[in-house]
Amino acid sequence: MFKLKLPTDPHWATIAKSNLEEVLSDHAWCEQKAVSNAITLITLLPEHTAIISELVKIAQEEMDHFVQVHEIIKSKGWVLGRERKDNYVNQLSKFIKKGENRQFFIVDRMLFAAMIEARSCERFKVLHETIEDEFLAKFYKELMISEANHYTVFLNFAHQLGTGMDVKKRWEEWLSYEADVVKSYGNSEAIHG
């Protein structure tokens, strides 16, 4: 899926299913961070009206996902809990080339966002296929589709904004880097854990 070089270890599904309360709390905070990321991208692209319009839609959709996850948490009698660090995302962010020119930086930010959406989509697919709770299985299928759409949008923006750059080559570098990063994950009740 999405050319990810290393699929999620099936053992992660067993770990995730063993503590859905933690997975859902972590998931809610992932959605909040996705909102923040879309807003940050908006601030970087004030001259790109059409892209901003799409990023606003993504931010709204991610906020809607946060609300949906929070409603599920409440319906089960659980609480959201404190924000969690996302070490996977933090490690990915180290691969963004910040010292390059503005164009390269913005393209890298789009590829960073696409990478997170791709892995999230893959994790949601795993949950959809393995979780016994029918409502949650359906919910994760819907989110899998949404994340796939976001992945496509971010990747398309990278190509659109990367005129004169070898965006395809840089995406391959991202895929290789992410494969090395994800080797250390898959052992906790977190969406990227």
Side-chain angles (χ1 to χ4, degrees):
M1 179 177 288
F2 307 113
K3 296 174 132 185
L4 292 174
K5 294 186 183 287
L6 187 66
T8 292
D9 185 324
H11 181 65
W12 176 79
T14 303
I15 294 168
K17 290 188 308 182
S18 72
N19 192 348
L20 284 176
E21 182 177 4
E22 181 60 28
V23 168
L24 286 165
S25 288
D26 180 73
H27 178 186
W29 288 113
C30 287
E31 297 293 354
Q32 177 272 325
K33 290 175 182 87
V35 173
S36 296
N37 184 59
I39 292 169
T40 297
L41 288 170
I42 289 168
T43 67
L44 294 173
L45 298 163
E47 69 277 18
H48 293 278
T49 304
I51 291 176
I52 288 173
S53 295
E54 286 303 310
L55 290 170
V56 167
K57 289 177 191 173
I58 288 173
Q60 290 170 329
E61 191 171 326
E62 300 288 20
M63 190 63 207
D64 185 47
H65 294 166
F66 176 89
V67 170
Q68 290 174 326
V69 175
H70 187 242
E71 289 301 318
I72 292 169
I73 291 168
K74 290 190 320 185
S75 74
K76 295 188 174 291
W78 299 332
V79 295
L80 177 60
R82 294 193 178 274
E83 181 179 8
R84 282 102 168 119
K85 282 186 180 180
D86 193 326
N87 293 323
Y88 163 83
V89 170
N90 291 337
Q91 277 190 268
L92 285 185
S93 72
K94 293 176 184 175
F95 197 63
I96 298 170
K97 291 189 178 177
K98 298 170 179 76
E100 298 285 329
N101 62 42
R102 180 175 183 265
Q103 179 192 25
F104 194 100
F105 174 70
I106 291 171
V107 168
D108 240 21
R109 282 297 306 248
M110 290 296 178
L111 295 176
F112 165 72
M115 189 80 262
I116 295 167
E117 297 288 345
R119 181 58 68 182
S120 298
C121 179
E122 191 248 4
R123 290 285 171 101
F124 292 161
K125 181 178 188 289
V126 170
L127 288 172
H128 159 66
E129 291 174 345
T130 61
I131 209 162
E132 287 88 12
D133 181 310
E134 287 183 29
F135 175 81
L136 283 178
K138 182 177 181 232
F139 175 67
Y140 278 112
K141 181 179 182 182
E142 291 168 1
L143 288 188
M144 174 188 73
I145 294 165
S146 176
E147 300 298 285
N149 289 335
H150 295 169
Y151 154 81
T152 302
V153 168
F154 287 125
L155 203 54
N156 286 341
F157 285 162
H159 284 283
Q160 180 181 337
L161 296 166
T163 305
M165 294 173 57
D166 193 343
V167 176
K168 186 175 180 180
K169 178 182 176 204
R170 183 61 178 156
W171 179 239
E172 288 298 323
E173 293 170 356
W174 270 99
L175 289 166
S176 294
Y177 178 77
E178 194 270 350
D180 285 338
V181 168
V182 85
K183 286 177 188 174
S184 302
Y185 294 89
N187 301 311
S188 70
E189 306 96 337
I191 294 300
H192 301 127

